[in-house]
């Protein structure tokens, strides 16, 4: 059973700037400071591009976890998709979509994932994980908005 989280964030900045900051490894580490996200391997700074991977380490729900994500779709400045290639999920893909709107940008996140461990995994997802991931994305999006609207 797949779970999907969809968020829309309006940012008063050009679409190209929003797109580029969204794929900036250094900024991601700054915006995810609450989980101590660190880029360990692969693309560890600058702008990640099509075909590139990054291995992250971060503290989620009290536990340090590692995962590797690869950019599998890239259409600047409209969208990019990162897919976890090595993680604790059965499936995990994050679509980052951008459109120009009234002098700014609408940034849309569509995060789709599937947890392992059958019924136990689904219960954990419904009680804890989905809320955690939604909060994480909202905080990240707030930091993007805050940085770009300075």
């Amino acid at each position: 059973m797949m779970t999907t989280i969809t968020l829309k964030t309006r940012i008063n900045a050009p679409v190209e700037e929003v797109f580029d900051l969204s794929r900036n490894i250094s900024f991601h580490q700054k915006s995810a400071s609450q989980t101590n996200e660190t880029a360990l391997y692969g693309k560890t700074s600058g702008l990640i591009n099509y075909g590139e991977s990054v291995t992250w380490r971060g503290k989620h729900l009290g536990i340090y976890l590692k995962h590797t994500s690869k950019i599998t779709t890239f259409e600047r400045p409209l969208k990019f998709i990162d897919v976890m290639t090595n993680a604790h999920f059965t499936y995990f893909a994050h679509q980052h979509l951008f459109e120009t709107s009234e002098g700014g940008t609408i940034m849309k996140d569509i995060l789709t994932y599937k947890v392992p461990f059958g019924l136990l995994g689904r219960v954990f997802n419904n009680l804890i994980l989905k809320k955690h991931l939604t909060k994480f994305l909202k905080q990240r999006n707030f930091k993007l908005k805050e940085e770009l609207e300075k």
Side-chain angles (χ1 to χ4, degrees):
M1 186 168 136
M2 295 283 204
T3 301
T4 300
I5 298 169
T6 303
L7 299 174
K8 285 187 179 181
T9 306
R10 183 170 189 348
I11 300 174
N12 294 320
V15 68
E16 295 84 3
E17 290 179 20
V18 178
F19 182 89
D20 285 344
L21 193 59
S22 295
R23 64 192 179 98
N24 185 302
I25 301 290
S26 301
F27 184 78
H28 179 79
Q29 290 178 113
K30 178 181 171 184
S31 71
S33 62
Q34 75 277 10
T35 58
N36 296 319
E37 295 280 316
T38 304
L40 299 175
Y41 313 111
K43 183 73 173 182
T44 59
S45 64
L47 302 179
I48 194 164
N49 290 295
Y50 176 76
E52 293 182 325
S53 295
V54 58
T55 298
W56 294 100
R57 179 178 184 262
K59 190 173 188 177
H60 293 271
L61 303 171
I63 302 167
Y64 275 99
L65 301 170
K66 277 195 227 179
H67 74 269
T68 301
S69 292
K70 181 176 183 174
I71 304 298
T72 60
T73 301
F74 189 88
E75 298 173 23
R76 186 177 192 275
L78 302 176
K79 75 175 174 179
F80 68 94
I81 300 172
D82 62 87
V83 175
M84 283 190 185
T85 58
N86 183 15
H88 300 280
F89 292 87
T90 304
Y91 176 81
F92 191 104
H94 186 176
Q95 297 178 61
H96 305 258
L97 309 172
F98 308 86
E99 64 181 71
T100 299
S101 174
E102 300 173 20
T105 300
I106 300 293
M107 179 177 72
K108 185 175 181 181
D109 293 278
I110 303 173
L111 177 62
T112 305
Y113 64 92
K114 183 176 181 183
V115 295
F117 309 119
L119 179 61
L120 183 60
R122 288 193 300 274
V123 170
F124 174 73
N125 180 55
N126 290 335
L127 293 177
I128 298 169
L129 184 60
K130 184 176 181 183
K131 290 175 191 166
H132 172 75
L133 292 173
T134 301
K135 181 180 176 185
F136 179 83
L137 286 175
K138 284 181 176 180
Q139 288 175 331
R140 178 187 173 277
N141 291 353
F142 174 78
K143 297 280 187 176
L144 281 163
K145 181 177 177 68
E146 184 178 60
E147 180 71 18
L148 288 162
E149 291 183 351
K150 283 183 180 177

